[in-house]
Amino acid sequence: MKYGPLLFLGILFTLASSWVGLVLAPKQQLGGLVPNVSTNALGAVVLYPQARKGEAQQGEEHYRSLGCVYCHSQQVRPEGFGSDITRGWGKRRTVSRDYLYDKPVMLGTSRTGPDLTNIGERQSDSGWHFAHLYNPQITSKGSVMPPYPFLFQLRKIGPGGASTNALKLSGEFAVAEGWEVVPKDSARQLVEYLRSLKTSVDLPEAPLPKVQEGAAK
Amino acid sequence: MNVLAILMIGGVLAVPGVALVALRWASHRGELNLPERAALLPFDEEEPVGRATDQILNRQSAES
Amino acid sequence: MSASSQTFSALLPGDVSDDSSKRALLAEIDASCRVPVLFFVISGLLWLLAGTALALVASIKLHSPGFLASWEFLTFGRVRPAHLNTVIYGFASQTGIGVTLWLMCRLCRVPFVAPGLATVAAIFWNIGLTVGVVGILIGDSTSIEWLELPRYSTPILFFSYVLVAVWAIITFRLRREQHLYVSQWYLLAAILWFPWLYATAQIMLLIEPVRGVVQAAVNWWFAHNVLGLWFTPIGLASIYYFIPKVIGRPIHSYYLSVLGFWSLALFYNWNGLHHLIGGPMPAWMITVSIVASVMMLIPVTTVAINHHMTMWGHFGKLKHSPTLRFVVVGALCYTATSLQGIANSLRSYSEVVHFTHHTIAHAHLGLYGFFAMVMFGSLYYIIPRITQREWPSLGLISLHFWACFLGLALYVVPLSLGGILQGLAMNDASVPFLKVVEGTLPWLKLRTFAGLLLGLGHVAFVGNLVWLLARVFGPYRKPVVAILMGAETAAVVGK
């Protein structure tokens, strides 16, 4: 009795089953998903979602590289399942189609910080984002998010006066007289990415709730 | 999509079918006759059943 | 002694030749394992120290965000994946491979084949991992959980892994003992499952990424299976070997172990997508994973009953054997973490705990409480035998055990509870988010303290090992405590 061949076959068959079921089947079912086509009020064709371009696309790389995903999810659970929608993290649940162009898809598994699926809608002000990234305590006292001072440059105010994009810092966060804090390219790109995060689009498989849709118009 | 459906249904029928044949073959060859004595494989004459090993902590109390 | 060995010969007739060649074989096998096994194990433990340091930095940052905040490479989002990858691919995988090599040689009854091949594999593994972890710290992390090592480092790891697998298959083919023990099924399965998982994940996520949420499906199919089909089988193989070996009693029921193995093989690999409950996936994928997760009750209870019944009447030996202590705690944690995991996979429970620190506690109960503890226990057994040296300090062994045991309890129990409270608060939309964050702080601080205890245990272990290795290069001294002999012999020597 050697048991070897049977063992070998069993080992391969068992894993093959879930490889077909949980890898190939999802690829078959979802791999061919295409953007939703609709027409807006002016009659123009609108595609959703769209691939990110320019600074927002570069910002996605910083989001990945800095590991934001370890504390922030990007998924809205359905109405009645958790408080995602009542907390205002989204108007509708997110569905497979929302993530067509994410590279990589960063759904996240932890909400040490709030969900960011729609942070672009909740907070479209770049100034807020810059202050928050420079030191989260400025905008959210008591947050455990780390500050990201390395995304900013501390520099002497030039002869032409303070830069227009310099952070408005006061109180305990103020820098020395004659100095200013300005966002580096990386901070600007990251903020553009964050501002691009929005999913409040009506989809056949995930319609926006009627009341809020009316309110939005 | 139809091709996929055929493949899936075919797979659902084929995999257990192959598994049944394999099990039958194995059973005929006696591969399934598991002797309880296989449980003795970690032991040998040097370290036989009944002899504890690795008894190194708290020796005093062990010898008393 | 002679009576029991006669019984044994009667049970395995004609299996081996004379008494003297058998004795020589066991010592020969152990000695032949020395270089490759030690190489894997020592590298693994150095990664453990690095991983512990990274873990402490990450843990402190979660309650004191200003800690080391000005260095980009030490930001939380990089230290955390660096910690995960050093402990998973550095410590757990390499130590696991070291233990696997030794168990394979012992159970196949063959001296180590081609030790050079395995040592080269270990060298490449460490090169690949170093490149990868540095890559994460400088910003090349993929941000795909459990697969953060950048694309340019993973082929080196995979190449190294292929060498290990080739070695294992050669050893398996050359085995002198035709019968397979339950540990060998698990080891063989782990060795064949891992490359399939890793290759699939690498190809579909990093080399030629699939589109959209298919990535999430592949990601969690992989990440959950690394636990269940790579670490779990190696851990269970060790438990199935060391409990009987230390207490000198065969496993309670060999049939139950067969049931446990095949039910694990059937159900575990379908579990992964329960990580996406509530997520943007078709419901059937998640449901099928929940069903499979509940089916895990079969292998888990089977294995738990089998181990418990084997230990029955022998719990007194826990007092004397470091191996048994660690391995039994590991076996208990396996049962606990599996039951917790089944609960986590239910929709109603997941709704509360899914995005909380509860999951982190669960992961540590599994990988640390179960796997790392079993590996520590195995190493306490293996290292004296392959180096022919005793552990220099029994005090350090006790310190290691109690620091890790207490650290583990203080880590897992409060953080699991804290996670549930965090989840309940988060699901109550009237609680502002910053209040939820505030509520987690005491648990997170306690976690840092627990981490310090674990670190203390690791330093004690590595210190003891360094001390032992220092003696390897010194003159051979006759064992004082006589680990290398059985308890009976040791008692005789004592008199």
Side-chain angles (χ1 to χ4, degrees):
Chain A
M1 202 229 38
K2 292 180 183 170
Y3 212 64
L6 192 65
L7 185 66
F8 185 78
L9 275 180
I11 288 169
L12 295 187
F13 262 109
T14 47
L15 186 57
S17 72
S18 78
W19 188 71
V20 172
L22 296 183
V23 175
L24 285 196
K27 185 164 158 47
Q28 276 299 331
Q29 185 178 352
L30 302 171
L33 216 53
V34 290
N36 182 53
V37 183
S38 60
T39 46
N40 66 7
L42 299 169
V45 174
V46 179
L47 291 179
Y48 174 85
Q50 297 196 7
R52 288 190 179 80
K53 296 189 198 75
E55 293 210 314
Q57 190 192 359
Q58 291 162 325
E60 187 176 33
E61 291 290 298
H62 296 301
Y63 190 92
R64 170 190 62 70
S65 150
L66 291 169
C68 307
V69 69
Y70 297 103
C71 292
H72 296 284
S73 58
Q74 285 189 26
Q75 51 179 311
V76 179
R77 296 187 285 178
E79 180 84 60
F81 194 77
S83 68
D84 301 22
I85 289 176
T86 29
R87 273 190 187 277
W89 286 342
K91 291 195 175 75
R92 60 162 174 84
R93 68 167 301 176
T94 49
V95 290
S96 305
R97 204 181 330 224
D98 289 316
Y99 303 89
L100 263 189
Y101 297 112
D102 287 4
K103 288 175 186 154
V105 172
M106 292 180 277
L107 294 178
T109 50
S110 174
R111 285 178 175 167
T112 303
D115 185 87
L116 296 183
T117 312
N118 286 293
I119 187 65
E121 277 165 45
R122 293 211 299 279
Q123 198 52 266
S124 57
D125 174 18
S126 311
W128 184 91
H129 280 292
F130 286 130
H132 182 245
L133 285 173
Y134 177 68
N135 191 340
Q137 306 300 327
I138 299 175
T139 54
S140 322
K141 187 86 193 134
S143 163
V144 290
M145 175 162 143
Y148 293 86
F150 43 83
L151 298 179
F152 296 84
Q153 193 187 2
L154 177 66
R155 66 181 185 200
K156 261 209 162 86
I157 294 176
S163 315
T164 45
N165 59 350
L167 267 57
K168 295 173 185 64
L169 300 167
S170 57
E172 55 178 310
F173 306 104
V175 288
E177 197 71 32
W179 291 75
E180 63 178 0
V181 173
V182 289
K184 291 181 186 169
D185 289 350
S186 48
R188 219 180 47 241
Q189 292 158 352
L190 183 56
V191 168
E192 277 317 300
Y193 170 70
L194 291 172
R195 292 178 66 234
S196 80
L197 290 174
K198 37 184 103 168
T199 61
S200 291
V201 173
D202 207 40
L203 289 179
E205 67 270 35
L208 288 174
K210 288 283 178 312
V211 184
Q212 276 154 329
E213 197 184 19
K217 281 171 187 170
Chain B
M1 205 56 208
N2 272 336
V3 180
L4 184 70
I6 292 164
L7 274 178
M8 289 278 201
I9 294 165
V12 166
L13 294 174
V15 170
V18 171
L20 272 179
V21 172
L23 281 172
R24 231 183 103 76
W25 163 81
S27 145
H28 273 283
R29 262 179 55 127
E31 297 260 343
L32 297 180
N33 303 336
L34 263 184
E36 280 284 334
R37 69 191 174 97
L40 296 172
L41 289 169
F43 303 97
D44 56 27
E45 295 183 356
E46 200 177 336
E47 294 174 341
V49 172
R51 154 125 30 121
T53 57
D54 196 52
Q55 303 289 303
I56 59 173
L57 294 175
N58 304 305
R59 288 297 311 167
Q60 260 68 33
S61 48
E63 277 159 36
S64 61
Chain C
M1 179 204 151
S2 62
S4 50
S5 60
Q6 273 167 13
T7 321
F8 185 78
S9 307
L11 283 166
L12 285 177
D15 184 45
V16 270
S17 45
D18 60 308
D19 191 57
S20 59
S21 79
K22 183 107 196 186
R23 284 171 190 281
L25 184 63
L26 209 57
E28 187 194 347
I29 289 172
D30 284 347
S32 70
C33 290
R34 184 186 287 192
V35 174
V37 171
L38 271 184
F39 201 117
F40 270 109
V41 166
I42 293 171
S43 347
L45 293 176
L46 292 177
W47 282 110
L48 174 68
L49 293 183
T52 312
L54 290 164
L56 282 171
V57 172
S59 181
I60 293 171
K61 277 168 177 280
L62 265 187
H63 52 75
S64 309
F67 180 66
L68 299 179
S70 36
W71 287 299
E72 183 168 6
F73 75 99
L74 284 181
T75 193
F76 179 81
R78 291 192 186 164
V79 174
R80 185 197 184 280
H83 155 68
L84 186 135
N85 284 276
T86 46
V87 293
I88 292 309
Y89 298 104
F91 161 64
S93 290
Q94 289 203 85
T95 317
I97 291 173
V99 170
T100 300
L101 301 179
W102 184 83
L103 280 174
M104 285 289 280
C105 289
R106 271 245 173 156
L107 286 166
C108 294
R109 304 229 202 286
V110 284
F112 207 102
V113 187
L117 181 76
T119 312
V120 168
I123 292 171
F124 273 97
W125 190 283
N126 285 294
I127 293 175
L129 190 61
T130 309
V131 170
V133 171
V134 170
I136 290 174
L137 290 176
I138 62 172
D140 291 339
S141 159
T142 64
S143 266
I144 299 173
E145 288 190 64
W146 295 78
L147 290 160
E148 287 93 345
L149 293 173
R151 222 175 96 176
Y152 49 73
S153 65
T154 48
I156 315 176
L157 281 175
F158 194 76
F159 168 71
S160 159
Y161 183 80
V162 168
L163 294 184
V164 172
V166 166
W167 176 92
I169 288 164
I170 294 174
T171 303
F172 189 72
R173 296 292 303 169
L174 292 176
R175 68 188 189 275
R176 288 186 200 156
E177 172 59 67
Q178 288 303 306
H179 295 273
L180 295 178
Y181 183 58
V182 49
S183 297
Q184 281 162 295
W185 315 340
Y186 279 109
L187 294 177
L188 195 68
I191 283 163
L192 295 173
W193 279 330
F194 183 77
W196 191 341
L197 297 171
Y198 202 63
T200 300
Q202 290 291 322
I203 293 169
M204 296 181 75
L205 294 174
L206 301 184
I207 295 169
E208 196 61 48
V210 286
R211 260 200 335 171
V213 290
V214 185
Q215 287 181 12
V218 179
N219 185 186
W220 288 110
W221 175 80
F222 169 81
H224 202 79
N225 282 343
V226 165
L227 296 171
L229 303 183
W230 172 236
F231 293 122
T232 301
I234 294 177
L236 289 181
S238 307
I239 298 176
Y240 270 113
Y241 184 80
F242 287 110
I243 290 183
K245 195 70 185 159
V246 170
I247 66 177
R249 177 190 193 187
I251 196 77
H252 170 70
S253 160
Y254 207 67
Y255 285 94
L256 271 186
S257 61
V258 179
L259 178 63
F261 175 78
W262 286 113
S263 50
L264 177 109
L266 268 179
F267 300 129
Y268 203 121
N269 63 110
W270 283 85
N271 278 7
L273 268 56
H274 67 216
H275 286 263
L276 298 167
I277 292 173
M281 312 292 287
W284 72 264
M285 291 177 195
I286 291 160
T287 305
V288 83
S289 275
I290 296 174
V291 172
S293 305
V294 174
M295 294 305 279
M296 283 300 292
L297 277 170
I298 298 173
V300 171
T301 44
T302 311
V303 165
I305 291 170
N306 212 359
H307 290 161
H308 188 77
M309 293 307 287
T310 308
M311 278 298 292
W312 193 255
H314 292 262
F315 286 99
K317 294 199 171 70
L318 284 171
K319 195 173 173 192
H320 306 301
S321 165
T323 298
L324 197 60
R325 280 190 193 181
F326 279 100
V327 168
V328 165
V329 168
L332 291 174
C333 287
Y334 173 67
T335 311
T337 196
S338 303
L339 296 178
Q340 192 188 19
I342 293 167
N344 287 357
S345 75
L346 301 175
R347 277 196 171 87
S348 51
Y349 195 65
S350 167
E351 180 184 359
V352 176
V353 299
H354 182 32
F355 294 107
T356 70
H357 296 298
H358 187 87
T359 312
I360 312 294
H362 169 60
H364 284 79
L365 182 59
L367 258 163
Y368 196 93
F370 162 49
F371 190 75
M373 292 299 259
V374 170
M375 287 301 108
F376 292 147
S378 310
L379 295 181
Y380 276 116
Y381 199 91
I382 295 170
I383 291 174
R385 283 164 178 79
I386 61 178
T387 58
Q388 286 293 304
R389 296 294 185 279
E390 299 287 344
W391 287 105
S393 165
L394 299 181
L396 284 175
I397 298 181
S398 286
L399 177 64
H400 177 203
F401 177 76
W402 288 111
C404 286
F405 184 77
L406 275 177
L408 181 67
L410 274 178
Y411 190 118
V412 171
V413 178
L415 202 61
S416 293
L417 262 173
I420 294 175
L421 296 178
Q422 182 194 0
L424 289 173
M426 197 142 47
N427 281 355
D428 178 356
S430 65
V431 182
F433 195 83
L434 279 171
K435 276 275 171 220
V436 180
V437 171
E438 199 186 312
T440 62
L441 291 178
W443 312 103
L444 294 174
K445 286 174 185 161
L446 191 57
R447 190 254 295 267
T448 299
F449 176 69
L452 284 169
L453 275 178
L454 297 178
L456 175 69
H458 302 158
V459 170
F461 183 35
V462 174
N464 213 359
L465 178 60
V466 170
W467 192 353
L468 180 147
L469 292 173
R471 290 184 175 180
V472 169
F473 300 102
Y476 178 77
R477 277 182 244 167
K478 209 167 169 54
V480 187
V481 194
I483 305 180
L484 304 172
M485 309 173 203
E488 298 164 4
T489 332
V492 174
V493 171
K495 285 169 195 165

